[in-house]
Amino acid sequence: MKKLSIFLAISVALMMAGDVIGKTPKRPRRTRQKTIKMVKKKKAKHASRTAKLAPVRRAVNIEDGDYNPYLQCEDTCNHVHGIDLSRYQGDVFWETVGENTKMAYVYLKATEGGDRIDPKFERNIELAHRYGLKVGSYHFFRPKTPLHLQLKNFTAQCLPGEQDLIPMIDVETTGGLSTSQFCDSLLTFLGMIEEAYHQKPLVYTFRNFYNWHLVGKLNDYQLMVAMYLDEEPVLADERDITLWQYTGKGRIVGINGLVDKSRFLGRHGLRDIRFRH
């Protein structure tokens, strides 16, 4: 009887051990299934974030800013291209812009009228030089603001030692003056700029504005003409154009938002607008 009791006890113990052994492999399987689900969930989340960050590639339209932001030039890369910037572009990643071999020059807004200074000018001109671009400065002309105040404002910021390109005067408004009064004010100011820097400035304006107010008035000055179409601009007097600003909705890597982009026309190049020191 004692032997039978011992035998029964051993049998029960073995059956219990068998149950334990049989259940043990199931635990890692449950854990692994849970881990696989977590990994898949993380991958899906990462893919979702990556999809949000990836640029959307669309067809190019230089009249529409809704296109591939990594495009470097809209028409052809055989031309010398450049940009102009002001505070509206915020903080520019100049190291990235400098790596773009098609962006050869930049015009930076320095001043406007008699007392406005672009808050990004000092930072922009320092970093643009540091990362290898040819730099020029421009002034937004206000025809009714005293000319001596505008000259003082601009010359205090546009220092000859910091310029690679001749000064540029941005002309977009008559200020409510008649065409003759406006032209008298502008030509006087351009003469003052020439005297201060010992070279004629570049004049920036829109094609239609030129045709309405400036035909035959700026024959001695080089022009940057803005016209946002896919054909080169032609002025009413068919005079020569040095630079064409072909879009106000450009995008390049290193600049958040839209940017004005331009290029030289014909046989013109950087040599034509170099600052003579």
Side-chain angles (χ1 to χ4, degrees), residues 83-94 97 106-110 118-138 162 254-255:
I83 54 178
D84 59 86
L85 300 176
S86 67
R87 64 184 178 88
Y88 296 110
Q89 280 72 41
D91 288 333
V92 174
F93 296 93
W94 284 106
V97 175
V106 56
Y107 267 101
L108 302 171
K109 184 176 182 180
D118 191 286
K120 298 295 183 182
F121 176 70
E122 187 173 349
R123 177 183 186 275
N124 281 341
I125 196 166
E126 177 185 351
L127 294 179
H129 275 302
R130 183 183 302 178
Y131 292 108
L133 283 90
K134 299 300 181 184
V135 184
S137 305
Y138 76 88
E162 297 177 343
I255 300 177

